[in-house]
Amino acid sequence: MTAHDPALARPNAPTTTYRYDEFDAAFVKERVAEFREQVRRRLEGSLTEDEFRPFRLMNGLYLQLHAYMLRVAIPYGVLTARQMRRLADIADKYDRGYGHFTTRQNLQYNWPKLVDTPDILEALAEVEMHAIQTSGNCIRNVTADHFSGVAPDEIEDPRPTAEFLRQWSSAHPEFSFLPRKFKIAVTGAAHDRAAIMVHDIGLAIETNEAGETGYKVVVGGGLGRSPFVGKAIRDFVSRADLLAYLEAILRVYNRFGRRDNKYKARIKILVHEKGIDEVRQAVEAEFAAMDRSVFSYDPAEFERIAAFFAPPPYETLTAESEKLRAESVAHPAFGNFVDVNVSPHKVPGYAVVTVSLKPIGGIPGDATSQQMRVLADASERFGFGELRISHEQNVILPHVKQDELFDLWKTLDAAGLATANAGLVSDIISCPGLDYCALATARSIPVAQAISRRFSDLSRQRRIGKLGIKISGCINACGHHHVGAIGILGLEKKGQESYQITLGGDPTFSAAIGEIVGPGVTADQVPDVIEHIVDFYLAERQENETFIQTWRRVGHARFKDVLRREGEDGADI
Amino acid sequence: MTALKHPQILFASDLADGEVVFLGQAGWERDHARARIARDKEGAGALEAFGKAEIAANRVVDVYLADVEIGADGAPTPLHYREKMRIKGPSVRRDLGKQARGAA
């Protein structure tokens, strides 16, 4: 029993997450019934695959390399313990006992049967979850800072805004058939943990000189085969104008976005081809001309939504826990975990814990159903029953008392969830690649595993410091390789898997697209190449420089030179 | 008879459960070793035509021909690594997919 035991400390405690209203619940339930009928008609043969495909994609169901894949939305990455347990139950009953957490803060099941998917969606609906708009040319799951509401550097919790946008974008009739998929991310902090600069629309909560809270709006970022860093279209949009302004952007994109070529259909191409000034002009003209009354801002409604994300009933604690200090010294492995995976919390005496889903040699983002249940239990015992999924494919426990970190660590360690590598070189983002994905041209998971094993020594990883490696198994860049400090892109070259290395990518406010440093290498060569890059960085870095800082100071040419020397004029690297 | 550069077999996915299937002598097989092998363009065309009919009959989806080589035991093995993976399952989880059943 702990102070966080809901049966003791917080009977009938408020949730810290959004709850469906009657409309939400009825809508999701109706969609499940509708899809059940569509599946029935497909299986009996009255719908062809061409007719059925858009229906299944609207419900997050893909056909992949070995089986169907169901993508479940986790709005802005927030989960309750009850929801996490349901995800585990579904994994056991309808899948193969595990789930894969993605860079969109979603969860994917890799083995569902078409015949079972209506039952899965019904099971999800019972806990206020669904798979709507996790596919298709619509506004996808809105993502947000995984430290929302607890980060000390936060200007404002972005979750109410993200929920506001979720409600606006869900089943939006005008934006259900956009030229291409559309992704929105929100951050409310001084440091961008939501990668807003590489989204179709990125929102940064800011306060203007008048003290009014609003949004910096960034447009046209994105990865894929044509990566771009987004551009500011407006430095400040008031909260009252937010929905109308986003509506104006989407209308301009819907009207002028290219539908003749799917590879040029994203808003980033529109911004690139027309220029941000012309796009801004069109958006402002639309914004000025449109009937904004239908988007009139109701502060009471925003406050109603925001109330769902009210801080949980924290205890009054001292800022620094003596117990934590003593346990960290007495148990070095725990001390390492605290140093690496535990982040400051805005409330004294609490901490934010990143649970790495990147065990050494493991599959990035995968969690077994048993691990999901351990995390659900831990969130209730140590943190008000709330969890977050990060776009880095990890799980966050956002409200842990410092005094209870040791007990939490023991719980996590017993479940294989205590790898102390958050943000380090083995905390690798990886898409499923050709092990699962029908679009992939090469595998990415085995490459991540090989690098992870090469750098398995956690003390060595700590000496290297924060260093993001991101791997994609095809040009669509689901593994965000373009914004990895070290990016790896799997391609096919002459019938073989080949890997292209990029350096200098950055997903934060100082966003940058990585630069290619040499010809493609084989999978076997990748760990050596990464090691050469890391060794060069360690030799060159000054004081506490991060990899990106060293890269920017030293420059592309010298990094490329060191690889060329290792690889005989780059021939082998 | 027009020779193919490589023999071919027909891949598809079962509509109901999504599992990879192969056109065999008497219908869809889940073991690629039992796949019917086309050795000339006419044979490949026949496989493809049957596949299209099966799509129309709503039994399978995503039908396509893939190049194979024939082993000493007469069983086909895909030439491309993508299809090599499809006849087994994910290379990172040998406990999943067809390989878990010892089918490949």
Side-chain angles (χ1 to χ4, degrees):
Chain A
M1 293 292 183
T2 76
H4 292 321
D5 187 323
L8 287 180
R10 45 194 297 265
N12 304 313
T15 64
T16 53
T17 56
Y18 186 75
R19 299 293 306 272
Y20 280 4
D21 60 17
E22 288 177 10
F23 175 83
D24 292 325
F27 171 71
V28 172
K29 196 174 170 187
E30 284 167 15
R31 280 291 294 262
V32 173
E34 183 183 72
F35 189 58
R36 186 179 293 284
E37 176 64 8
Q38 289 162 348
V39 169
R40 187 191 68 74
R41 291 167 63 204
R42 177 71 186 107
L43 290 170
E44 75 165 22
S46 60
L47 283 178
T48 66
E49 183 63 13
D50 284 346
E51 291 164 338
F52 179 64
R53 187 183 298 108
F55 297 144
R56 70 168 161 78
L57 291 178
M58 283 176 190
N59 289 281
L61 187 64
Y62 289 74
L63 182 63
Q64 293 286 25
L65 207 61
H66 308 294
Y68 288 99
M69 179 271 278
L70 183 68
R71 181 180 294 151
V72 178
I74 302 175
Y76 32 93
V78 175
L79 271 179
T80 64
R82 179 172 178 242
Q83 290 171 326
M84 184 66 111
R85 282 196 193 94
R86 182 56 58 93
L87 293 175
D89 292 345
I90 290 170
D92 282 341
K93 186 171 181 182
Y94 299 106
D95 208 80
R96 305 291 170 91
Y98 74 105
H100 176 73
F101 290 102
T102 78
T103 54
R104 294 293 307 157
Q105 298 180 309
N106 292 321
L107 176 124
Q108 293 180 176
Y109 293 114
N110 288 322
W111 305 92
K113 295 175 179 168
L114 175 61
V115 291
D116 289 335
T117 47
D119 291 339
I120 298 173
L121 294 179
E122 193 165 298
L124 290 169
E126 287 171 0
V127 294
E128 303 186 339
M129 297 186 80
H130 59 73
I132 298 165
Q133 291 186 201
T134 58
S135 179
N137 293 337
C138 52
I139 300 173
R140 300 287 186 88
N141 185 37
V142 175
T143 53
D145 183 352
H146 45 266
F147 287 176
S148 297
V150 295
D153 67 335
E154 193 167 81
I155 299 160
E156 181 183 273
D157 186 342
R159 288 174 299 169
T161 295
E163 174 57 29
F164 212 47
L165 299 181
R166 186 192 71 79
Q167 295 188 19
W168 162 73
S169 62
S170 293
H172 194 305
E174 195 175 333
F175 304 139
S176 293
F177 297 95
L178 294 165
R180 280 286 277 143
K181 57 189 172 183
F182 203 90
K183 299 174 181 177
I184 302 176
V186 193
T187 183
H191 294 91
D192 179 12
R193 287 174 287 267
I196 71 155
M197 300 299 290
V198 286
H199 279 73
D200 295 295
I201 290 180
L203 298 175
I205 297 174
E206 293 191 350
T207 306
N208 67 8
E209 289 176 359
E212 184 189 13
T213 302
Y215 305 87
K216 179 176 183 176
V217 182
V218 175
V219 170
L223 303 176
R225 69 178 60 211
S226 305
F228 289 104
V229 172
K231 295 180 172 64
I233 190 165
R234 262 245 206 148
D235 284 334
F236 192 83
V237 173
S238 69
R239 180 162 291 151
D241 285 339
L242 180 66
L243 289 191
Y245 197 76
L246 295 191
E247 185 91 7
I249 294 172
L250 266 295
R251 284 184 183 181
V252 166
Y253 169 55
N254 211 11
R255 191 184 315 152
F256 298 112
R258 289 182 60 170
R259 285 184 156 87
D260 61 316
N261 181 339
K262 72 176 285 193
Y263 303 114
K264 295 185 176 182
R266 298 288 291 269
I267 195 172
K268 63 189 177 185
I269 303 297
L270 185 69
V271 172
H272 178 66
E273 289 186 347
K274 301 288 183 188
I276 187 64
D277 291 338
E278 190 174 332
V279 172
R280 183 186 294 115
Q281 202 171 27
V283 169
E284 293 291 344
E286 175 64 32
F287 183 64
M290 66 195 289
D291 175 7
R292 299 213 288 267
S293 63
V294 290
F295 308 106
S296 62
Y297 172 63
D298 178 358
E301 175 60 9
F302 191 88
E303 289 308 313
R304 187 189 73 82
I305 291 172
F308 284 101
F309 304 100
Y314 294 118
E315 295 175 41
T316 302
L317 303 169
T318 55
E320 301 288 330
S321 163
E322 283 304 319
K323 182 170 180 286
L324 168 61
R325 198 189 314 273
E327 287 165 340
S328 295
V329 171
H331 305 277
F334 170 61
N336 285 337
F337 181 82
V338 171
D339 288 346
V340 176
N341 288 36
V342 175
S343 303
H345 196 289
K346 63 163 60 169
V347 175
Y350 284 83
V352 183
V353 175
T354 298
V355 180
S356 168
L357 294 183
K358 323 290 175 57
I360 298 301
I363 296 176
D366 274 12
T368 66
S369 55
Q370 185 54 29
Q371 287 177 323
M372 290 186 222
R373 292 190 184 95
V374 167
L375 288 165
D377 291 349
S379 76
E380 286 183 332
R381 185 177 166 202
F382 301 105
F384 303 105
E386 185 186 340
L387 309 102
R388 311 281 177 77
I389 308 305
S390 74
H391 84 271
E392 289 147 343
Q393 299 179 285
N394 291 322
V395 177
I396 313 298
L397 296 172
H399 317 284
V400 183
K401 281 169 38 175
Q402 292 179 18
D403 279 354
E404 296 183 344
L405 280 168
F406 186 56
D407 287 343
L408 169 63
W409 175 77
K410 284 189 287 188
T411 300
L412 295 175
D413 194 36
L417 291 166
T419 309
N421 65 347
L424 302 182
V425 71
S426 67
D427 184 6
I428 299 168
I429 289 179
S430 172
C431 73
L434 193 55
D435 278 295
Y436 292 98
C437 178
L439 298 176
T441 46
R443 287 174 292 171
S444 47
I445 295 169
V447 175
Q449 291 174 308
I451 296 169
S452 169
R453 290 192 188 101
R454 176 66 64 92
F455 291 94
S456 60
D457 181 351
L458 290 175
S459 59
R460 182 187 179 202
Q461 289 195 45
R462 289 190 65 182
R463 283 197 299 278
I464 296 166
K466 298 278 182 189
L467 204 172
I469 296 182
K470 304 179 198 294
I471 306 175
S472 301
C474 79
I475 204 162
N476 293 304
C478 294
H480 295 183
H481 67 277
H482 292 298
V483 288
I486 299 175
I488 302 166
L489 167 62
L491 296 167
E492 178 177 348
K493 189 176 175 185
K494 297 178 183 172
Q496 302 292 322
E497 292 165 291
S498 176
Y499 297 86
Q500 197 174 69
I501 312 295
T502 58
L503 297 180
D506 174 5
T508 69
F509 282 133
S510 51
I513 303 298
E515 299 173 31
I516 297 170
V517 288
V521 300
T522 65
D524 289 346
Q525 292 169 319
V526 171
D528 286 339
V529 171
I530 303 303
E531 197 154 33
H532 292 318
I533 292 167
V534 169
D535 286 346
F536 179 68
Y537 155 61
L538 293 176
E540 291 293 323
R541 78 173 169 190
Q542 295 176 352
E543 296 181 14
N544 294 320
E545 262 185 346
T546 63
F547 181 88
I548 289 295
Q549 288 166 336
T550 301
W551 159 261
R552 287 175 176 164
R553 178 177 54 78
V554 169
H556 180 109
R558 289 198 57 213
F559 270 88
K560 195 168 182 176
D561 278 350
V562 72
L563 293 181
R564 187 177 292 122
R565 284 199 299 277
E566 294 291 343
E568 199 176 320
D569 293 333
D572 296 330
I573 57 170
Chain B
M1 294 284 189
T2 312
L4 291 167
K5 188 175 178 186
H6 300 286
Q8 293 184 317
I9 64 173
L10 195 70
F11 276 70
S13 296
D14 181 81
L15 172 64
D17 63 17
E19 184 174 337
V20 183
V21 292
F22 314 91
L23 183 58
Q25 298 300 331
W28 296 104
E29 300 282 355
R30 299 200 173 219
D31 178 356
H32 76 284
R34 297 170 64 86
R36 195 191 310 175
I37 298 163
R39 297 175 189 276
D40 52 46
K41 286 191 176 174
E42 290 75 12
L47 292 187
E48 238 174 353
F50 188 87
K52 282 181 183 169
E54 288 290 282
I55 289 174
N58 300 304
R59 279 189 274 274
V60 293
V61 290
D62 192 24
V63 175
Y64 67 95
L65 289 164
D67 290 344
V68 295
E69 60 184 355
I70 310 301
D73 58 355
T77 301
L79 292 181
H80 195 277
Y81 59 85
R82 183 179 189 273
E83 276 67 44
K84 281 181 180 168
M85 198 163 298
R86 291 198 82 195
I87 67 170
K88 294 180 178 175
S91 69
V92 293
R93 288 288 303 266
R94 300 297 167 94
D95 59 324
L96 299 173
K98 294 175 184 298
Q99 61 201 347
R101 297 197 297 263

